[in-house]
Structures are given as structure tokens and as C-alpha cells.
């Protein structure tokens, strides 16, 4: 935008781009857009940068992708200046990193904190968005990008009586900044997803009594955390560019062996050897890739699942507790497996107890504790690790109104519909980063975020070079992408699980498979091809 445009009065936009969110995605997008000469305003509900890593401060919060990979790669200088201390860094370290990035590129000056974007309306005549915020400020912009995160809207516990509890209540996703002292307290943890599995071993170290309420057991493998892996550091030192390129063109965003060993035909000793190696590696994509067919063939999947269950039975002393901790209602990997540090062994501690809600459901939460079908328990503290309204929660939570007065929430009432997981018909100049229809939560999100940000920035640069101001996908392109996303999911075992990937954890949420399972590599190729073919599937004006 030129100075003349900026002073063009009410008809012209105040800035080129409004970005919502200052996590990994919003920060990098701001950096790239500014470097290309666009004017940008970023709005962030939190009081500082960090996104996920600003909010999720529960004990044990860590990444589950090795931090050598869960990191920005766009600037070799930045990589030289920052050294990760652990294989899986803790939340405080990742937050410090994102604060370091914000300082290094002087990003905060264009970010307005403590401000929620409440609505955005497309003005078809002026060809711009008008963005409304919680402070009453409105800003007009040519392009409106939601970098609002796919795991950023916590899901409230839908348990009878929850508001009645008079003791302390904490949510893993909104853990107090000053920390919580649980020493000597009777603590209940509700939920055994990733946040529960990461926090339970540390909560157990403090609490006088810990009762874990489990509805669904989840597969979890030991992280074997420690210093950043020497082999990975050596590869990066030898040829950083080659390593990062391999990540970009890998299936999940981390360079990993692609095997052609089939679980169903491999000899028992090969199965065992491959499984044990993945178990020892303590890495998500290793355990998800023991066999080439484990994601599509139930028999192959069951081989891996049963080996994990054997491990659980060998760790947990009490056979009944061990059995309750063994996942049997979903295929391995159809929910994101967790990485833990001593989770299963925690149940061998004398003051830790598992309540299997499949056998004894919670009937109500009372003023003093939690009642199940068979018992009443008193607690000082309840910790909810109840997950997120994933992928679409933050997008439809804002009143985004596109052409003809249709809101995003209305358009996506039966499930999201996108072209390339980034754009949607009826909403010109609108982008959602890491949204439904993109690899997002199935991948190393640092890699996926950089890919999205680069594509969006390149697109705006291309539009400007062509003298165009508006871009919107066409209905056939969107239908085609939706079909492709659904076809890929249908080949896999994923849609069989009641997972948050399927929206199953939020009552009333449409049941579809939200992310794109075709792989980071294939997704990148599809996006690159659209750009190379002059934005095939989009209408530019
Ligand atoms: P976020 O970090 O979620 O940031 C979005 C920001 O937008 C938030 O700060 C939010 O306050 C703000 N926002 C949302 N709506 C509004 C609004 N209306 N107005 C103003 N501001 C708004 N991914 C991995 O790849 N590897 C991992 O190891 C990993 N570990 C994770 C651990 C936890 C506990 C969680 C919750 C997620 C993890 N993820 C992981 C996923 C993680 O969310 C992404 O990796 C990444 O941090 C997302 O960055 P983002 O910028 O897209 O979104």
C-alpha cells in the first residue's frame, strides 16, 4: 500500500492485512508480511505473544515433536542464535523462544494485546474487511487472516454439577501464571488426553491424594526425554538446509524413515524389533510408522496396539488398573498418541487411584467433590484436562460475515468446507491458518505453519504484482478439495475413532474428519501447483 492509498479516506482500508493471533503462526506471518512491505495489525487476546505456549502452563507441559524440529527454520541466523536444552522442551522454554523471536524481529510494535477480535464483516462494495475488537476499535483491511490456533479454545467440562464445586478449580489450558501449590491436597484430575497424561505424574509428586477420572484410555509411549538428540544435532550441523528441506517434504513434517514393511506379513521377530526400536526412540512418527499399513489395515494396527498394551501391563502393578489403562476402543494412532514421562508408573504410587468412568460414570459434581455411580469422593482441588474445541472452535467463535451476510458459522454448520484448507467460497480475501482441510494437527505444526505463512504471503505479493486486490476460491475447486480431503480420510482408520479429529468431543459438533491426512509433502505439492498455475481454482479481480 502506498502513502496515497493509506490516506485515501474511508473508502480505502486502514491496513493491508489484519492478523488475529500472536502464536507461532501470527508471529511469522507478521514478520513475512512486513518484510514484503505490507502494513499489518495483529490482535491478540492474551497479554503477550506465544499462543499455545502462553496459555498452557500446566505442570509437565511440553512439545511432543522434538524441539530441534518444532522450531522456526526460516532464518538460519535465528537457528544459530537459539539452542534448545532438551529433546522435548518445556512450556517455559518454548514461550521464552517465541518471546525471543518477537524481540529479535521487533514484532510487538504491530501487535495489540489484551484485545479479542469479535467480528469481521466483508464489505463487497469497498472490497475490504471491517474487523471489530473487544476494545471497541474497528479496523478496515484488504485481507483478513485468522492465525487463531487449532487447539486454542478450551472445552468446558460438560459434567452435571460442575459449577457447584466450592474448592479450587484449574484448567490445564488456563493454568495460573504464578503456578499452583498442590502440596498436601486431595486432587482430582478429570481427563486423560495429552495434557492429563503430561501433568498427572507431576501432580502426583505434590498431592497427598490423586484420583484420576478416566473416560477413555489413550495410547501413550515414553518420551525418553533428555538432551537434544545428538544424531539430530549432527545432521543439522552437517547440512541444515538439507535437513529442513527433508522435513518440508516428509509425510508429517519431521524427516523419518518411510518403511514398506507390512505388519500383516512381517515375521514376528521383525515386528518385535521394529516396535521396540520405535518404543525406545520415543518419537511420534516412529511409533506411527512401525508398519507401512498400520494406519489403514486393522490387523496390522492391532499388532502395534497390542504391543503397547503389553508394555502397559508390564509397567502397572495392579492388573485391574493396568487393564483399565489399556486402550481398546480405537485403533492406534486414530487419536494423537501421547508422549509421557512416567505416566503409567504413576498408578503404582500408593496415593494415586484410577477411576474408570466406563464402569462407574460420574453422576454429579458436588460442593465438596465428585460422586460416581458407586462412591462419593471429597477433594480440595479439581483439575480439568478436558481438551479443546479443535480446529474450528476459534474460527467460528468469531462472528465472521462474508458476502451476502452469510457467517462462517452458518456456512460450516454441517462441517467445514475449504479450498486447500486455507480459504472458503463466499469469504474473499479471507484465510485461516492450520484450519480444517490442512495437515495441521496431524503434522509438526512448526513446519505446517511456515508453509501456510509462506504460501499466503507469496500469494499477496503475486496479487499486488498483478494489480489485483481480491482473491476467492471457486465452488468447483472447493468441492474438489473437500472430496479429496474426505477420500484420503476414508482410506485410513481415522474416521472410526470418537476423536477430537472427528469433532466427537464437542456435543453437537459436525462429525467429519477435520484435518487433511494426505501428508505435509503432498499438501505442499498441491499448494505449490496452485500457485504455479496462476492460482488455479481461485477467482482473482
Ligand atoms: P496458537 O498458538 O493457538 O495461537 C493462537 C492465538 O490466537 C492465541 O494466542 C489466542 O489467544 C489468539 N486468538 C484466538 N482467537 C482470538 C480472537 N478472536 N481474538 C484475538 N486473539 C485470538 N504442535 C506440534 O506440532 N508439536 C507439539 O509438540 C505440540 N504440542 C502442543 C502442546 C499443547 C499443550 C497444545 C495445546 C498444543 C500443542 N501443539 C503442538 C499444537 C500447537 O497449538 C501448535 O504447534 C502451535 O503452537 C499453534 O500455533 P498458532 O499460532 O497456529 O496457534
Amino acid at each position: 500500500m502506498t502513502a496515497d492509498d493509506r490516506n485515501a479516506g474511508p473508502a480505502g482500508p486502514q491496513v493491508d492485512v489484519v492478523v488475529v493471533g500472536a502464536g507461532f503462526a501470527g508471529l511469522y506471518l507478521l514478520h513475512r508480511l512486513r518484510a514484503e512491505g505490507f502494513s499489518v495489525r495483529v490482535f491478540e487476546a492474551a497479554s503477550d505473544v506465544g499462543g499455545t505456549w502462553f496459555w498452557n502452563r500446566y505442570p509437565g507441559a511440553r512439545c511432543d515433536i522434538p524441539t530441534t524440529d518444532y522450531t522456526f527454520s526460516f532464518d538460519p541466523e535465528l537457528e544459530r542464535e537459539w539452542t534448545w536444552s532438551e529433546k522435548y522442551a518445556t512450556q517455559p522454554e518454548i514461550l521464552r523462544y517465541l518471546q525471543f523471536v518477537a524481540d529479535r524481529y521487533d514484532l510487538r510494535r504491530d501487535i495489540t494485546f489484551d484485545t479479542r477480535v469479535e467480528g469481521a464483516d466483508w464489505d463487497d462494495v469497498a472490497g475490504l474487511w471491517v474487523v471489530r475488537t473487544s476494545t471497541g476499535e474497528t479496523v478496515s483491511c484488504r485481507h483478513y487472516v485468522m492465525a487463531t490456533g487449532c487447539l486454542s479454545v478450551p472445552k468446558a467440562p460438560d459434567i452435571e454439577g460442575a459449577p457447584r464445586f466450592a474448592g479450587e478449580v484449574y484448567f490445564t489450558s488456563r493454568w495460573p501464571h504464578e503456578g499452583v501449590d498442590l502440596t498436601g491436597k486431595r486432587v482430582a484430575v478429570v481427563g486423560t488426553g495429552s495434557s492429563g497424561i503430561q501433568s498427572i505424574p507431576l501432580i502426583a509428586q505434590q498431592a497427598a491424594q490423586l484420583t484420576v477420572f478416566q473416560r477413555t484410555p489413550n495410547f501413550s509411549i515414553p518420551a525418553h526425554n533428555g538432551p537434544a538428540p545428538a544424531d539430530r544435532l549432527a545432521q543439522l550441523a552437517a547440512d541444515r538446509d538439507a535437513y529442513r528441506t527433508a522435513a518440508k517434504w516428509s509425510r508429517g513434517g519431521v524427516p523419518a524413515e518411510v518403511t514398506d514393511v507390512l505388519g500383516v506379513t512381517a515375521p514376528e521377530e521383525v515386528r518385535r524389533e521394529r516396535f521396540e526400536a520405535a518404543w525406545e526412540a520415543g518419537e511420534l512418527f516412529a511409533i506411527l510408522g512401525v508398519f507401512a499399513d498400520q494406519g489403514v489395515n486393522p490387523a496390522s494396527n492391532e499388532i502395534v496396539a497390542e504391543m503397547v498394551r503389553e508394555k502397559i501391563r508390564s509397567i502397572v502393578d495392579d492388573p485391574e488398573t493396568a487393564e483399565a489403562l489399556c486402550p481398546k476402543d480405537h485403533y492406534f494412532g486414530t487419536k494423537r498418541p501421547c508422549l509421557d514421562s512416567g505416566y503409567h508408573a504413576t498408578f503404582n504410587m500408593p496415593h494415586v487411584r484410577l477411576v474408570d468412568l466406563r464402569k462407574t460414570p460420574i453422576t454429579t459434581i458436588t460442593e465438596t467433590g465428585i460422586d460416581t455411580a458407586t462412591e462419593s469422593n471429597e477433594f480440595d482441588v479439581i483439575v480439568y484436562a478436558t481438551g479443546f474445541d479443535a480446529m474450528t472452535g476459534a474460527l467460528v467463535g468469531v462472528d465472521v460475515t462474508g458476502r451476502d451476510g452469510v457467517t462462517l458459522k452458518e456456512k460450516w454448520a454441517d462441517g467445514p468446507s475449504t479450498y486447500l484448507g486455507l480459504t472458503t467460497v463466499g469469504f474473499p480475501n479471507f484465510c485461516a491458518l492450520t484450519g480444517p482441510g490442512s495437515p495441521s494437527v496431524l503434522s509438526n505444526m512448526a513446519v505446517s505453519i511456515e508453509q501456510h505463512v509462506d504460501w499466503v504471503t507469496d500469494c499477496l505479493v503475486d496479487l499486488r504484482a498483478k494489480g489485483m486486490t481480491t482473491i476467492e476460491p471457486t465452488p468447483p475447486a472447493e468441492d474438489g478439495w473437500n472430496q479429496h480431503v474426505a477420500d484420503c480420510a476414508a482410506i485410513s482408520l481415522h474416521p472410526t475413532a470418537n476423536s477430537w479429529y472427528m469433532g466427537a468431543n464437542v456435543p453437537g459438533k459436525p462429525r467429519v474428519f477435520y484435518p487433511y491426512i494426505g501428508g505435509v509433502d503432498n499438501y505442499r505439492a498441491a499448494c505449490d501447483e496452485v500457485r504455479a498455475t496462476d492460482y488455479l481454482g481461485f477467482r482473482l479481480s
Side-chain angles (χ1 to χ4, degrees):
M1 184 189 289
T2 65
D4 284 349
D5 290 338
R6 242 173 247 131
N7 297 328
Q14 289 164 286
V15 288
D16 294 314
V17 189
V18 162
V19 176
V20 194
F24 261 96
L27 291 176
Y28 180 43
L29 184 60
L30 170 58
H31 172 63
R32 274 236 45 205
L33 288 172
R34 236 170 40 182
E36 295 293 350
F38 293 105
S39 55
V40 188
R41 285 284 302 274
V42 179
F43 290 101
E44 168 56 63
S47 60
D48 197 11
V49 300
T52 291
W53 305 102
F54 174 91
W55 295 110
N56 290 267
R57 297 173 189 240
Y58 58 84
R62 290 175 187 277
C63 53
D64 64 7
I65 297 285
T67 342
T68 40
D69 298 82
Y70 185 61
T71 194
F72 284 126
S73 70
F74 64 86
D75 183 350
E77 288 298 317
L78 173 65
E79 286 202 56
R80 265 192 286 278
E81 289 166 20
W82 186 269
T83 308
W84 292 106
S85 70
E86 288 182 273
K87 177 180 171 190
Y88 297 108
T90 57
Q91 171 271 329
E93 188 173 359
I94 303 173
L95 180 59
R96 275 200 305 280
Y97 170 71
L98 292 171
Q99 290 168 337
F100 173 75
V101 169
D103 290 340
R104 193 186 185 288
Y105 300 100
D106 188 19
L107 298 176
R108 284 195 182 84
R109 70 181 152 89
D110 287 323
I111 306 174
T112 307
F113 293 105
D114 297 310
T115 305
R116 177 165 289 282
V117 167
E118 294 182 333
D121 305 314
W122 172 249
D123 178 338
D124 211 23
V125 176
L128 49 75
W129 284 95
V130 179
V131 176
R132 290 175 274 121
T133 74
S134 55
T135 60
E137 185 183 4
T138 58
V139 179
S140 61
C141 56
R142 189 68 76 197
H143 297 272
Y144 171 61
V145 184
M146 295 186 78
T148 43
C150 39
L151 295 169
S152 57
V153 176
K155 192 179 99 48
D158 47 352
I159 305 173
E160 152 78 25
R164 278 163 56 197
F165 183 66
E168 297 168 58
V169 174
Y170 301 104
F171 290 81
T172 50
S173 53
R174 293 291 180 269
W175 202 257
H177 289 199
E178 62 282 9
V180 179
D181 185 6
L182 298 170
T183 313
K185 296 192 172 154
R186 298 165 301 171
V187 180
V189 175
V190 179
T192 52
S194 183
S195 303
I197 284 176
Q198 285 188 332
S199 60
I200 283 165
L202 289 164
I203 292 175
Q205 282 174 19
Q206 283 195 350
Q209 282 173 34
L210 171 61
T211 309
V212 176
F213 291 87
Q214 172 193 272
R215 194 169 52 187
T216 312
N218 273 300
F219 287 103
S220 184
I221 65 160
H224 300 303
N225 199 19
D231 58 334
R232 211 64 69 85
L233 293 175
Q235 287 178 58
L236 277 162
D239 192 343
R240 188 203 83 97
D241 290 350
Y243 187 86
R244 296 298 181 207
T245 302
K248 287 176 179 173
W249 291 99
S250 66
R251 193 43 60 94
V254 179
E257 179 215 14
V258 178
T259 184
D260 55 7
V261 174
L262 300 178
V264 280
T265 51
E268 176 57 20
E269 62 275 18
V270 173
R271 290 175 178 166
R272 183 64 61 180
E273 193 185 318
R274 291 189 60 77
F275 174 79
E276 291 295 341
W279 185 265
E280 279 315 307
E283 286 197 28
L284 215 48
F285 291 114
I287 201 80
L288 289 169
V290 175
F291 305 125
D293 53 346
Q294 73 189 59
V296 293
N297 184 332
S300 172
N301 190 285
E302 178 57 19
I303 294 166
V304 181
E306 188 52 23
M307 287 182 182
V308 177
R309 290 185 208 114
E310 278 173 18
K311 292 281 187 192
I312 296 171
R313 292 180 190 120
S314 73
I315 298 167
V316 180
D317 296 340
D318 173 46
E320 200 182 327
T321 305
E323 226 35 55
L325 287 166
C326 284
K328 290 172 198 139
D329 74 337
H330 62 279
Y331 292 113
F332 182 81
T334 54
K335 297 183 173 194
R336 189 170 174 119
C338 306
L339 292 193
D340 69 86
S341 297
Y343 174 65
H344 292 110
T346 301
F347 292 93
N348 294 335
M349 298 168 96
H351 67 298
V352 179
R353 198 163 76 90
L354 183 73
V355 175
D356 181 354
L357 298 179
R358 290 277 158 86
K359 285 192 180 148
T360 53
I362 292 177
T363 48
T364 187
I365 295 186
T366 65
E367 277 176 18
T368 54
I370 299 179
D371 288 358
T372 68
T374 56
E375 59 186 27
S376 282
N377 302 275
E378 304 239 311
F379 296 109
D380 304 307
V381 180
I382 299 181
V383 174
Y384 290 108
T386 39
F388 299 91
D389 181 352
M391 310 236 28
T392 51
L395 299 174
V396 299
V398 173
D399 187 18
V400 184
T401 308
R403 230 179 324 95
D404 306 324
V406 176
T407 66
L408 193 60
K409 193 173 180 178
E410 287 163 351
K411 181 177 172 189
W412 288 4
D414 296 327
S417 173
T418 73
Y419 182 40
L420 297 178
L422 277 163
T423 61
T424 188
V425 172
F427 296 78
N429 292 2
F430 166 79
C431 268
L433 303 188
T434 68
S438 78
S440 189
V441 288
L442 297 177
S443 67
N444 170 5
M445 290 195 57
V447 167
S448 288
I449 285 169
E450 284 191 337
Q451 186 274 340
H452 268 183
V453 167
D454 287 338
W455 194 90
V456 169
T457 309
D458 291 344
C459 170
L460 299 200
V461 169
D462 291 343
L463 282 183
R464 184 175 58 188
K466 291 172 193 293
M468 305 280 193
T469 55
T470 314
I471 180 166
E472 185 185 345
T474 63
E478 184 161 308
D479 291 347
W481 184 255
N482 290 336
Q483 190 62 52
H484 177 55
V485 170
D487 287 347
C488 291
I491 297 168
S492 80
L493 296 172
H494 274 78
T496 62
N498 281 329
S499 66
W500 55 259
Y501 292 144
M502 291 291 294
N505 64 329
V506 178
K509 191 166 172 172
R511 288 284 183 105
V512 293
F513 189 69
Y514 284 73
Y516 172 62
I517 202 173
V520 162
D521 47 357
N522 292 320
Y523 178 77
R524 180 181 299 273
C527 290
D528 286 357
E529 192 187 340
V530 167
R531 183 173 181 226
T533 51
D534 219 6
Y535 295 96
L536 187 69
F538 284 101
R539 195 180 301 121
L540 311 186
S541 57

